[in-house]
Structures are given as structure tokens and as C-alpha cells.
Amino acid sequence: MKKYFFLLIFFHISLSISAQKSIKVEQLKASSLIPVYTPIMLDSTNVEKKTFEKENLLKNKVDFQEVTKVQDILKADTAGVFTLPFAPYDRKIPDRDKALQLLSFNIDADRYCKAKLLITSTDMFEVYINNKLEKTKKTKEDSLSKAKDISLDLTLEPRCYEVIIKRLAEVKNLDESKLTVKITPDKKDSSAQVVLSTNSLRRITINDILEGKRLSSSCSISPSGKYFVFGTTQTFPGGKSVFTLELRETSTNRIVYRFTDETSPRWLTGKDQLVYSQKGTSQKDLYILDIATLEEKKIAENLQFDNYLVSPDNRFLLLQVREEIPADKGDLKRLLSPSDRSGSFRGRNSLFRYNFDTKTVQRITFGRTNISLNDISHDGKKILLLANEENITERPFKKNTLYEMDLLTLKMDTLFSDPFINRAIYSPDSRQLLVSGSAEAFGGIGLNIKEGQISNSYDVQAFIVDLKSKGVKPVTKDFNPSISGAQWSNYDNLIYFSAEDKDRSQIYVYDPADATFKKLDLQENMIRGFRLAEDAPIAIFQGEGTNNAYRLYSYNLKTGKSVLLSDPFKSQLDEMTLSKVTDWNFVSSDGTTIEGRFYLPYDFDANKKYPLIVYYYGGTSPTPRTFESTYPLQVYAALGYVVYTLQPSGTTGFGQEFSARHVNAWGKKTASEIIDGARLFCREHPFIDSAKVGCIGASYGGFMTQYLQTQTDFFAAAVSHAGISNITSYWGEGYWGYGYSAAASAYSYPWNNPQLYTEQSPLFMADKIKTPLLLLHGAADTNVPIGESIQMYNALKILGKTVELITVKEENHAIYTYQKRIDWNKTIYAWFAKWLKNQPEWWEDLYSEK
């Protein structure tokens, strides 16, 4: 991309200053003069009985892009004074003797600091910082010596701030308009470096991760491939979002139709027609949209459903309805199961059929057993139902049974029961099934691990089952990527797998005829929403990389060519300078290649020393090559850190043997690989300050943060979000605790393997921790209860160690509320600034001593 390492090259002016010294802005970007005039005075006062004053002209709205996109630069004289143009007089238009002009420059501080901005002008003006109006000057003077100042106290975080001055220019009737701008950092910030520029590029911030226009995860393509549907979400500063769903023509990208936000459109089989829902008088109404005519027709009204599927002959709907086991009366609750603490446990799905011709709704399943509709045969005669029942006494604590129902007779045939399967779909001829599950499914026929290992059940495999012979073929046994989704194409009879391929998400095509895999060349690192047209060799998909948000493409299955359809985040991305991302692998002590990558600061200088942040998960999923992330590595790099992330043993996407290393390990091997990788990375990269290395992880990665500090004092600072400190209490108290342990602690319980639960729990080794540790936790976390951080906090406080615990009110396992997520991220930034950069000011301002 054009944005690597070249921020200063694009500067029209770049001045670095030390605190306690003032510096004058010497260049400004300037828009053209935008004429304004006094409105017609129908009355002498308005509804508030106020007269019209000249400063009211400043309230005229002007598009700030008028200044951000211009190339005109105004230069100050040697004294730092700008001479500004005056408004032209138009004799043809009475009172056309005034104009607005936008002037702008950027402030970029290398650290959290405070400064004073002083603007002196003979004109009236408003001053905006990052599009927010800060102050207004309402007077005009005839000379700079008489001009009044506007002073702003700034708190600068390490990011770019755009300052826009909106001035009211008038005809030349006195001295020419003058302006000076200067900035003075606070005296206590003696080492802060502040850069003033008119550069058009800026650093990425956490706001960029939360705000802007992005693709939603939903997209679909018509049977003929001629049309597609996709959604976008626009999030504005402050957190308000607007969702839009559009229907477009594939060949021209022309907008055909826009839907309301709760439509859930589905394509009819073999037709370029859509079924979609809208809220009815009491429940939901269904409509058909004929794309050729754009005619809408209501086909059902007041239906109750949570999800629905249109039959292949387009004659009926299958409705899935969630029903609840009644709650106990009063304030007392009897648990039905260890899982009954979760609000979703008592929900049960039932199926109903709605007939278009007779407009009747008939229940086709009944009972307390929870079922889910997996697929419908291509002739519309049979469906696959997966029944899920709890089996609390045996790992994996569930019993899954796959049924096939005849929709004419409602007869159910049991195909097989297996706790390790999770989904099934029909082949195009409905003679075979594609089943996904862990390698232990079907008696372990798909296992490919070493003797003594237990399969990682999160490493998803695929099997083909012949319905007549009941023969099972483990198609991914020797295929290292982990399966995340699959479509069996009606057009070419090939299977298109979405697969977690190391730290990428890719599409692989499997040919059942010769049992071969082929990866599609789809340009992007992370693919989601790959959707095939039913009757044409075309698909659509969304792709993301380390340096771009998700973009929408069409893909021609015959030519292998992709065409970009939508890139809604592009305009915002073009404003930023991003970090270069480089792969870096090392060989561990047992000979395993551990893959990783690193991000360099946007203004990287190989002759400088930089602090390092090491990020990992290690809880079985890789750290993916995403731009949009809860932990945006590009933002850490923009703050002046080198960022290193790696995929240690136990990670899925690298093959079954590699992922099985996660089971019953709880830090063994994984921790040593993270430590060895970080040390080796520092040795091989002389621009790293090896005394200033921090680490961060969440959930299992939060556990890993805590565990790492019991094994080494190499890190100068550590951050654990929602981390597990005591495996025993997490196993018993977390909503996912014992369920997750079915994978991470397979067949190991506190009573039969107490060594695992104590010797691998960081809490039982708290006295070994020397690293300053920040514990972050959502106060309403049900996955990893907040007590996990409280226990470690209490232990380290009693031991006199350096520890902080920050809780986030009403947030669960992840922090999603807009402002809370910003504040939570800034807490992390401030902690690392304190310990990795010797800059405690940010932390002290956020969390001053009480």
C-alpha cells in the first residue's frame, strides 16, 4: 500500500518541538472563499427575540472536506503571521460582501501530554478540533495588535488531531485580515515531542476501528448469479449506527432495491425472487420481491418464527420457533442442569410448516428435546434434523442425534447418534451427507494425532456419509486447515470449504470424484461470507487483510477472476498511514516451526530502539490476519510499538497433531514457545529495546498472560483481560467452564487430576510474579467470571506486588459498548506507556490516586 513508512515525506511542514517552548504554525491548508450573505430580515428579531448579528454567519454549515481535499497552502511570514484573503464584492448580488474560509493544520504528539493552543486573528472565527466545535470569536478588529485571542487547553493523546479554523472574511475595508497560531506544551511535559503539519495522512486510532462504514457479515447471491444482496453498517462518532441492506445487479453493480433493516431476505430456488420478512400487526409478515418487475407481494402474515427456510419447490416454508421451559415462580430457582445458569439453556427449538396454497401452519416437531434444522433435500421431500441433548456424565457432555424426516409422512429415521458431530447437509443428489464435527466423530475414523494425544474438539473435520451403505469417509483427515463452513455446489458437484488455514481464513474446493483439495486464489487473507450461485459459475465473498477492512467481491468459478463490488471503508482508510506487516517464524526447542508476524511503527526508523508488545491467544484459535479486531494490532503500532504475534502449539489450522497439543496442557509448551519467541525476536531485531517488552492476551490468552509471569520475569508489563487464574474455579463457575474443559481438559477433573488444576493455575504460583500486571474484566462476565481476576488481584496485593484491577460495568466477556470500549483500550495504552515508555502521565490522569 502507499502508506508504509512515508508519513514525513508527505508533510508540507513538520516541526518537532520540546515542551516549555512555543512554536508558531507556519503553514495552513486553505479552502477557497465560500460566499455568504445576510438573510432577508422579515422581522427585526427571531422567535427567541434576538437580533441577527454578524457572527451568526459563522453558523452557516460548510463541508469540512473542502479543506481536507485541497492542495492550497498558505505560508506565514518570518514572524509567523498569515495574511488572509478578503471576500470579493459582487455588485450583482446585494450584500454579497462576506465569505467563509476553512483553514486547517494537524497536531501530532508522540505521547500523552498537555498543551495550550493560542489563535489570534482580526476576523471572527470558530475553531474545531476533530470536527468538534471548541470556541468562537465573535469580534472583528482592524489590526493584529488589537485582536482578541482564543485559547484552548489541550490534552493530547498520541494520535493526530485536525484543527480547523472557520473564519468570516469581509471586503477590504480596513487592514488586511491577519492570523497567528501557536502551541505551547505544558511545562511538566518537558520531553514531549509535538509535530505540526498540513499532511493529509494520519495515524490510525481506536476510533477508526469502531467508526465508519463497513460491510456487515450478511451477503447472498441469486440462483442465476445476476443479483446479490449485501449489508453495510455506518457507525458515527458517539456510537450510533445505521444499517443498510441493498440489492444490486452483479454485472453492473447497479442498485436495484433497498430493504429495511429487519428483512432477513432468502432467495427462492431457481428464481431471481426474494422472500423477506417485515413486522406485522402482531408477528411477522412475509413478502416476495420479483426483481424483474420490482413487484412486492405479501405471501403470509402474522407468522411467528425465529428463522425460516423456503422449500426447493417454493411451495412451503419451514419455520423454526424458540420455546422456553417455564421459569420457577418467585425469587427462587431450581437448576435443571449445570448449564441452567445460562439464559439460553431453557430454550428449545420446534419446527412448523407453512403452506403457501392453504395458508396453514402445522407443527411438525413436539417435545422438550432441542432440535435444529440442518438442511432440506433438493427435491424438498426430506429434511435433516439434529437433536441436541445433554449428557452431563460423559465428555463432551452432550448427545447429538441426526434424524431424517419425510415431510409427507412425518416419519423420522435415526441416521446416527454421535456427540462429536455438529452439522450435516445433503449432496446435490441427496444420496450422501457432508457432516462436520471433531476428529473423534464416527469412532475416531478421522483422527490423525500421535499416540497418547487427545484430539482438540475445536479442530473441525469433515466426513462424507453414504446414506444407503452408511459408509463414512473422513475427507479432511490429512488436511491441516480446520473447517469453519461448507457448501456442496448444485452447479458443479464440488464442495467449497471455508477453512481456518493457519492465521488465514481461505476457501478450498474439494472434488469428491478424486478426493483432491484446491485452494482458491481470492487475494485477501481473511475470507468470510463465500456464497455460491445455485445455477451459475459465480460466487460472492468478503475479504479482509492486515491493512484493509472487509471488501465485497464477485468470483468467477471458471476463470478464477475476482471483481471488487464494494469497499465502503476505503475513503476512511485512505486517510491513514498504516504499519508494514512482516512474517517472522522461528524453530522451537522440539523442532517445531512456530509461525508469526510483526508490525512496525508507522514512522519506523531502524536506528532507533522501540518497545515491543507480544500478543497471543493460544486458546486454540490463531490470531488472524484481520484489520478489524478487538485487539487492533495496527493501533498498537501507531502508538509507537513494534508488535509481535505468534501461533503457538495448540492452535487450530495447523493440523490435528499441532492443535491436540492444547489438550490438558494449560500453558505447558505454549508458554515456553511464547517466551522463547519473544527473546529470539529481540535478539534478531536490534531495533527492539529488550528491557521494554510487554505482553497481552484475553480469555485463555488472559490466562496465558498470568501464567507467563509465573515462568519468567522477561516482560516489563503485562495485561490480562478476562483471564483465568484458577482453573478449578473457572471449571466450576464459568458458563462455558466445564464445557470448554471438554476440549482443554479432556477427561481431567479436579478429583482425578488435581495436579493439572493446581500446578497449571497461575493463582497457585502468584508469589513468583514480578511483572507489573494489569487485570481487566467485564463486571458481568459469564464466560470467565470476574472472580478469576479478583483472586489474582487479592493474591498479588497481599504479596505486595505491582497489580491493578480495572472492571468494566455491565460488560460481559468482551467489551462492545462504544464508549466503554474506547475507555478500556485507552487503559491498556496508558498501562503500556507507563511501563514500556516511562510515561506515567496518561495512567495517572485516568486513575489518579484517591
Side-chain angles (χ1 to χ4, degrees), residues 190-211:
S190 58
S191 57
Q193 298 294 307
V194 179
V195 173
L196 309 180
S197 76
T198 54
N199 176 44
S200 59
L201 294 178
R202 59 176 177 81
R203 285 193 265 177
I204 185 174
T205 71
I206 184 59
N207 296 77
D208 292 308
I209 301 300
L210 302 181
E211 299 165 5

Side-chain angles (χ1 to χ4, degrees), residues 1-7 9-10 200-201 547 570-571 573-578:
M1 295 177 69
K2 67 180 181 181
K3 306 170 197 169
Y4 299 150
F5 312 126
F6 300 110
L7 184 62
I9 294 177
F10 291 99
S200 59
L201 294 178
N547 290 63
K570 182 181 184 303
S571 60
L573 193 69
D574 286 344
E575 300 172 359
M576 305 174 210
T577 179
L578 297 178

